[in-house]
Amino acid sequence: MNRRNSIETKARILSVAEEIFSNVGFDGARVDDIAKEASVNKALIYYYFKSKDEILDTLFLNLVEDAKKMLIKCMEGTPNVCTGDNYKKLFDTYIHFITEKRNIIKVAIAESAKTKTKISVVMELGNLIINAEIENLRKKYVAQGLHFPEDRQEMLIMEFFTGLAPFFNYALYKDQWEDLYQVSEEELQEKFYQAFKKTHLRAHLL
Amino acid sequence: MNRRNSIETKARILSVAEEIFSNVGFDGARVDDIAKEASVNKALIYYYFKSKDEILDTLFLNLVEDAKKMLIKCMEGTPNVCTGDNYKKLFDTYIHFITEKRNIIKVAIAESAKTKTKISVVMELGNLIINAEIENLRKKYVAQGLHFPEDRQEMLIMEFFTGLAPFFNYALYKDQWEDLYQVSEEELQEKFYQAFKKTHLRAHLL
Amino acid sequence: MNRRNSIETKARILSVAEEIFSNVGFDGARVDDIAKEASVNKALIYYYFKSKDEILDTLFLNLVEDAKKMLIKCMEGTPNVCTGDNYKKLFDTYIHFITEKRNIIKVAIAESAKTKTKISVVMELGNLIINAEIENLRKKYVAQGLHFPEDRQEMLIMEFFTGLAPFFNYALYKDQWEDLYQVSEEELQEKFYQAFKKTHLRAHLL
Amino acid sequence: MNRRNSIETKARILSVAEEIFSNVGFDGARVDDIAKEASVNKALIYYYFKSKDEILDTLFLNLVEDAKKMLIKCMEGTPNVCTGDNYKKLFDTYIHFITEKRNIIKVAIAESAKTKTKISVVMELGNLIINAEIENLRKKYVAQGLHFPEDRQEMLIMEFFTGLAPFFNYALYKDQWEDLYQVSEEELQEKFYQAFKKTHLRAHLL
DNA sequence: AATGAATGAGTGTTCATTCAT
DNA sequence: AATGAATGAACACTCATTCAT
């Protein structure tokens, strides 16, 4: 096996781990199962990762990296977000990211639910997105010659609990919702957008 | 320890289990630790509960029961919810419930994050609350002689993803938020209310 | 509850224990199950018996007592055993005893199969029966003016391994045999008798 | 201990398990003890066997395999069994097999004594041997131009309850008998043969 | 005589991790 | 880079037995 395959192997382990973690939770996952599913010897996993924890850490690191990339692309692509329906593009980027990464996001949320936890990835991710979002807002206010609200705390809370929370819930329950209510992915996404527009976005626009 | 007090002992086990589950997750929890913390012999836990799973099930059952009671009390106490600031009272009831039960709610959310899961308690809880909420809305619309929106799916999605999601997030991250941003419980709650009012509630009122 | 019931209760425990032991073996049996099946509180079992072992000991003791009674009755009832077909009566008594007691006999044999065992009940039972049998034979020889074989060891071995063994096997496999080969109890018993007559009995008569 | 020798290790586990099972019974045996006695880590036992049950199943499987091999060798080596004292050779093969395998046979019998049991190994073993034996007889009858008995059921019962039973008893009580009556292995075996000849064999010969 | 509650020691099994090759 | 074998420390769950009433 050459280095090419080596990279591919490590990636396969990560990919399988992500799926299994999201299926049964981190604590519920077995290294044995990861090995089996990834068709590698169990010991090989320990050749690439120091421990089961390190697999999760790597996965979380990648998630944060990907979020950053996504946000950077957003910044570049959307000079005037929040002006009317042109927020839709940003929303699509977000919802696409959330949908694609929902498996590992679910794991992150589940882990963050444990009280005994270090600074959770979800908080980190939240901060990242919220700050980007607030920066967006600031630009827009400035562009419109408006006075930007002074209470940052208030703003953070609003962004986190009414702006981000729906997306987290989307990651968590998209699949269950589609199953339970027999809705197509497109319909759910569209209606979710309408709801988000009527609530959180409404508070921003104008 | 006072022996021979079946009910109290069982309650203590449940209470300790709830705390430990919320600290380290269900899979991360050890029956040994529950026994130790509850000052009972481990075997006694199996005298009261068939398995570790049954402890969780009982906890979830109680949560749903309590939610029902809370909702019934809400129904009785608030004939005209959603009419202006009198929603505050309902909000307070909700936020109080969420705050008080946040430990087990966190466990419920974490468990619901696993893909391999039967109908999750969170969905059950969500349905319960949303249906109550929608019934509330309906009454109000009727009282005002207004036409009640026809697309139930749309309404459910909005309630779940923009009405409930913030509360779930509140349960999940209240403590972490207070720690991280050094906000008092009261302040967080108040600002959360303001944000909720400006977003989700705004879409309902008027 | 008066003494009458007390005796009945103890008997019920023994009876249930016998059945459960024979179903799953002594080690495989649970005191809990005995209690449940006998409809008594588990602690009550320990009121009547010092331990699970004592239940088995009592059962074995009863078996030996019953065997003795059976043998005594045989002695009285059969002055000239082994003279031709009049052995049939003795055989019937034996086979009846074996059939009736087969459950506890099976337990006794299973226990005796353990190498780490004190003098086994089966050996005790065997000795009892063999000695009675040999005494029978001796009488018959004397009555016929014949010389009684001198090698007792030889005689014991023959009685135990070709006289008793078939009966032990009958206790062990009667039910399985009937099931497997779809034979009625009567047919099996009759053919067993014919086989026993052609082999072991033949060696004794004349 | 020499690591990295899969086959030898697995064999050692099996061998130790066989001994312990025969000492204290299957249910009485502790996996811990097997591990200790075999000088392997307990988890290693579960690396080779799915469960304690599977160890027993393997042992039983091996016993049946060995029995088949033994029978095949018998078939080849004895064209005219049962003709007079040349049965002795066959007897020796049997008694040698029974003696050598008596430990696992004892376990098999003890397990077969449980009512709640699937088709027992003893029955399987019994069928194997009896069928071989009957085939032997048939050949002999044919060779002598005799009419072979028609009632197969009768024949099976005779073989099982008077032909096989003594050997099972020999497996079960050989050691106890030698201890109790202070007989040497050789003497017991010889006298057992004489008894068997006078009873079961007598019915076959001529 | 009878019972619900309680317990210590264990019991088969699992798991993350490491070793030797 | 890869693997089969091996391990220590759990882990959920069980069981015979006892206590207090």
Side-chain angles (χ1 to χ4, degrees):
Chain A
M1 295 291 157
N2 57 24
R3 194 159 296 133
R4 267 263 170 286
N5 280 332
S6 158
I7 291 171
E8 202 266 325
T9 301
K10 191 170 178 179
R12 199 166 65 252
I13 292 170
L14 281 171
S15 161
V16 166
E18 180 175 332
E19 172 151 7
I20 291 188
F21 288 166
S22 86
N23 278 345
V24 297
F26 176 73
D27 288 317
R30 305 292 152 230
V31 176
D32 265 290
D33 292 337
I34 297 174
K36 209 169 292 166
E37 193 73 23
S39 307
V40 300
N41 184 282
K42 197 184 5 170
L44 193 59
I45 292 181
Y46 286 90
Y47 177 80
Y48 286 114
F49 303 94
K50 218 174 61 192
S51 67
K52 190 184 161 191
D53 275 275
E54 207 187 77
I55 302 179
L56 187 64
D57 289 345
T58 306
L59 249 18
F60 281 168
L61 214 67
N62 289 352
L63 174 64
V64 172
E65 291 302 305
D66 290 342
K68 281 178 184 164
K69 278 183 206 149
M70 184 267 292
L71 289 173
I72 287 172
K73 211 183 292 174
C74 280
M75 291 296 116
E76 292 165 345
T78 52
N80 288 315
V81 263
C82 296
T83 27
D85 257 351
N86 103 354
Y87 188 90
K88 183 66 164 74
K89 242 173 104 183
L90 193 56
F91 175 89
D92 283 344
T93 312
Y94 282 173
I95 208 76
H96 179 257
F97 179 80
I98 290 283
T99 302
E100 203 178 18
K101 308 284 180 193
R102 69 185 183 282
N103 272 348
I104 188 63
I105 291 175
K106 279 155 76 171
V107 179
I109 293 175
E111 287 305 300
S112 77
K114 296 176 184 173
T115 303
K116 299 276 187 253
T117 201
K118 50 240 163 216
I119 173 76
S120 70
V121 197
V122 177
M123 286 303 243
E124 197 183 337
L125 211 61
N127 273 330
L128 229 54
I129 299 177
I130 289 177
N131 283 327
E133 198 66 3
I134 289 183
E135 181 57 14
N136 263 349
L137 277 176
R138 205 190 49 73
K139 277 191 202 152
K140 188 200 142 204
Y141 271 73
V142 168
Q144 300 194 346
L146 295 171
H147 174 64
F148 193 63
E150 67 293 335
D151 189 336
R152 187 172 177 81
Q153 186 71 257
E154 203 174 297
M155 190 165 279
L156 286 172
I157 289 173
M158 176 155 141
E159 289 306 310
F160 187 76
F161 288 100
T162 76
L164 221 50
F167 285 96
F168 286 165
N169 253 34
Y170 192 84
L172 282 173
Y173 303 112
K174 165 195 187 299
D175 296 312
Q176 285 182 54
W177 190 277
E178 286 169 13
D179 270 17
L180 190 58
Y181 293 106
Q182 292 295 314
V183 201
S184 74
E185 180 165 25
E186 291 72 29
E187 197 187 345
L188 176 61
Q189 193 172 311
E190 174 58 23
K191 286 183 173 161
F192 174 76
Y193 175 63
Q194 295 303 333
F196 194 65
K197 202 167 91 175
K198 281 195 232 162
T199 56
H200 184 73
L201 287 187
R202 169 103 70 99
H204 277 332
L205 309 177
L206 191 8
Chain B
M1 281 308 132
N2 186 10
R3 267 166 123 196
R4 328 287 154 201
N5 193 343
S6 182
I7 295 170
E8 201 267 324
T9 302
K10 192 171 177 179
R12 199 167 66 251
I13 293 170
L14 280 172
S15 161
V16 167
E18 180 175 331
E19 174 153 6
I20 292 188
F21 287 166
S22 87
N23 278 345
V24 296
F26 176 73
D27 288 317
R30 303 296 151 222
V31 177
D32 267 288
D33 292 337
I34 297 175
K36 211 169 292 169
E37 193 71 22
S39 306
V40 299
N41 184 285
K42 189 175 26 164
L44 194 61
I45 292 181
Y46 288 91
Y47 178 77
Y48 288 112
F49 302 95
K50 223 171 55 192
S51 65
K52 192 182 159 191
D53 272 275
E54 207 186 79
I55 301 179
L56 187 62
D57 288 345
T58 306
L59 249 16
F60 283 167
L61 213 68
N62 290 351
L63 174 64
V64 171
E65 292 300 304
D66 290 342
K68 282 178 184 165
K69 280 184 206 145
M70 183 268 289
L71 289 173
I72 287 172
K73 211 183 292 175
C74 281
M75 292 296 113
E76 293 165 346
T78 51
N80 288 315
V81 263
C82 297
T83 26
D85 259 350
N86 107 350
Y87 189 91
K88 182 67 165 73
K89 239 172 108 181
L90 193 57
F91 175 89
D92 282 345
T93 311
Y94 282 172
I95 208 74
H96 178 257
F97 179 81
I98 290 283
T99 302
E100 202 177 21
K101 308 283 181 192
R102 68 186 183 282
N103 272 348
I104 188 63
I105 290 174
K106 280 155 75 171
V107 179
I109 293 175
E111 287 305 300
S112 77
K114 296 177 185 172
T115 303
K116 300 277 187 247
T117 201
K118 50 235 163 226
I119 174 78
S120 70
V121 197
V122 176
M123 285 302 242
E124 198 183 338
L125 211 63
N127 273 330
L128 229 55
I129 299 177
I130 289 177
N131 284 326
E133 196 66 4
I134 289 182
E135 181 58 14
N136 262 349
L137 277 177
R138 206 191 48 75
K139 278 193 202 147
K140 188 200 145 206
Y141 272 73
V142 168
Q144 300 195 344
L146 295 172
H147 175 64
F148 192 63
E150 65 295 334
D151 189 337
R152 187 172 177 80
Q153 186 70 249
E154 203 175 295
M155 188 164 278
L156 286 172
I157 290 173
M158 177 158 141
E159 288 305 312
F160 187 75
F161 288 100
T162 76
L164 222 50
F167 284 96
F168 286 165
N169 255 34
Y170 192 83
L172 282 173
Y173 303 112
K174 166 194 188 298
D175 297 313
Q176 285 182 53
W177 191 276
E178 286 170 15
D179 271 16
L180 190 60
Y181 293 105
Q182 292 295 315
V183 200
S184 74
E185 180 166 24
E186 290 74 26
E187 195 185 348
L188 176 61
Q189 192 172 313
E190 174 57 23
K191 286 183 173 162
F192 174 76
Y193 177 62
Q194 295 304 331
F196 193 65
K197 201 166 90 174
K198 282 195 232 161
T199 56
H200 184 74
L201 287 187
R202 169 102 68 99
H204 278 330
L205 309 177
L206 213 335
Chain C
M1 295 294 156
N2 56 24
R3 193 157 300 136
R4 269 262 170 284
N5 280 333
S6 158
I7 291 171
E8 201 268 324
T9 301
K10 192 170 176 180
R12 199 166 66 251
I13 293 171
L14 281 172
S15 161
V16 167
E18 180 175 332
E19 172 151 9
I20 292 187
F21 289 165
S22 86
N23 278 344
V24 296
F26 176 72
D27 288 318
R30 305 292 153 231
V31 177
D32 264 290
D33 292 336
I34 297 174
K36 210 168 294 166
E37 193 72 23
S39 307
V40 301
N41 184 283
K42 196 185 4 171
L44 193 60
I45 292 182
Y46 286 89
Y47 177 79
Y48 287 113
F49 303 94
K50 217 173 62 192
S51 67
K52 190 183 160 192
D53 275 274
E54 206 186 78
I55 301 179
L56 187 64
D57 289 344
T58 307
L59 248 18
F60 282 167
L61 214 68
N62 290 350
L63 174 64
V64 172
E65 292 302 305
D66 290 341
K68 281 179 184 163
K69 279 182 207 148
M70 185 267 292
L71 290 173
I72 287 171
K73 210 182 294 173
C74 280
M75 293 295 116
E76 294 165 346
T78 52
N80 289 314
V81 262
C82 298
T83 26
D85 258 351
N86 107 351
Y87 189 92
K88 183 65 164 73
K89 241 173 107 182
L90 192 57
F91 175 88
D92 283 345
T93 312
Y94 283 172
I95 208 77
H96 179 258
F97 179 80
I98 290 283
T99 303
E100 202 178 22
K101 306 285 179 191
R102 68 184 183 282
N103 273 348
I104 188 63
I105 290 175
K106 279 154 75 173
V107 179
I109 293 176
E111 287 304 301
S112 77
K114 297 176 185 173
T115 304
K116 300 277 188 248
T117 200
K118 50 239 163 215
I119 175 75
S120 71
V121 197
V122 177
M123 285 303 242
E124 197 182 339
L125 210 63
N127 274 330
L128 228 55
I129 299 178
I130 289 177
N131 285 328
E133 197 66 2
I134 290 183
E135 181 58 14
N136 263 348
L137 277 177
R138 205 190 47 73
K139 277 190 203 153
K140 187 201 143 206
Y141 271 74
V142 168
Q144 302 195 345
L146 295 171
H147 174 65
F148 193 63
E150 69 293 335
D151 189 337
R152 188 173 176 81
Q153 187 67 252
E154 202 175 296
M155 190 165 279
L156 285 172
I157 289 174
M158 177 157 140
E159 288 307 310
F160 187 75
F161 288 100
T162 77
L164 221 49
F167 285 95
F168 287 166
N169 253 35
Y170 192 83
L172 282 173
Y173 303 112
K174 165 194 188 299
D175 297 311
Q176 285 182 52
W177 190 277
E178 286 169 16
D179 270 16
L180 190 59
Y181 292 105
Q182 293 294 314
V183 200
S184 74
E185 181 166 22
E186 290 73 28
E187 197 186 346
L188 177 60
Q189 192 172 313
E190 174 58 23
K191 286 183 174 163
F192 175 76
Y193 175 62
Q194 295 303 333
F196 193 66
K197 201 166 90 175
K198 282 193 233 164
T199 57
H200 184 74
L201 288 187
R202 168 105 66 102
H204 277 333
L205 308 176
L206 212 334
Chain D
M1 282 306 133
N2 186 10
R3 268 168 122 193
R4 327 288 154 203
N5 194 340
S6 182
I7 295 171
E8 201 268 323
T9 303
K10 192 170 178 182
R12 199 166 65 251
I13 293 171
L14 281 172
S15 161
V16 167
E18 181 176 331
E19 174 153 6
I20 292 188
F21 288 166
S22 86
N23 278 345
V24 295
F26 177 73
D27 289 316
R30 303 298 150 223
V31 178
D32 267 290
D33 292 337
I34 297 176
K36 211 167 292 166
E37 192 72 22
S39 306
V40 300
N41 184 284
K42 187 169 40 155
L44 193 62
I45 292 180
Y46 287 90
Y47 178 76
Y48 288 111
F49 303 94
K50 223 171 56 192
S51 65
K52 191 183 161 193
D53 273 276
E54 208 187 77
I55 301 179
L56 187 63
D57 289 345
T58 306
L59 249 17
F60 282 168
L61 214 67
N62 290 351
L63 174 63
V64 172
E65 292 301 305
D66 290 342
K68 281 178 185 164
K69 279 182 207 150
M70 184 266 290
L71 289 173
I72 286 171
K73 211 181 293 174
C74 281
M75 294 294 114
E76 293 165 345
T78 51
N80 289 314
V81 264
C82 296
T83 27
D85 256 353
N86 104 353
Y87 189 91
K88 182 66 165 72
K89 240 172 106 182
L90 193 57
F91 175 88
D92 282 345
T93 311
Y94 283 172
I95 208 75
H96 179 258
F97 179 80
I98 291 282
T99 303
E100 202 177 21
K101 308 284 180 191
R102 67 184 184 283
N103 273 347
I104 189 63
I105 290 175
K106 279 155 74 173
V107 178
I109 293 175
E111 287 304 300
S112 77
K114 297 177 184 172
T115 303
K116 300 275 188 250
T117 200
K118 49 238 165 221
I119 173 77
S120 70
V121 197
V122 176
M123 286 303 242
E124 199 183 336
L125 211 62
N127 273 329
L128 228 55
I129 299 177
I130 289 177
N131 284 326
E133 197 65 2
I134 290 182
E135 181 58 13
N136 264 348
L137 278 177
R138 205 190 49 73
K139 277 190 202 151
K140 189 201 142 205
Y141 271 73
V142 168
Q144 300 196 344
L146 295 170
H147 175 63
F148 192 63
E150 67 293 335
D151 190 336
R152 187 173 177 80
Q153 187 71 255
E154 204 175 296
M155 190 165 279
L156 286 172
I157 290 174
M158 177 157 141
E159 288 307 309
F160 187 76
F161 290 100
T162 77
L164 222 49
F167 285 96
F168 286 165
N169 252 36
Y170 192 83
L172 282 173
Y173 304 112
K174 166 195 188 297
D175 296 311
Q176 286 182 52
W177 191 278
E178 286 168 16
D179 271 17
L180 190 60
Y181 293 104
Q182 293 295 314
V183 200
S184 75
E185 181 166 24
E186 291 72 29
E187 195 187 348
L188 176 60
Q189 193 172 312
E190 174 57 23
K191 285 182 175 165
F192 174 75
Y193 175 63
Q194 294 305 332
F196 193 65
K197 202 166 90 174
K198 281 194 234 164
T199 56
H200 184 74
L201 287 187
R202 168 103 68 99
H204 278 332
L205 307 177
L206 198 359

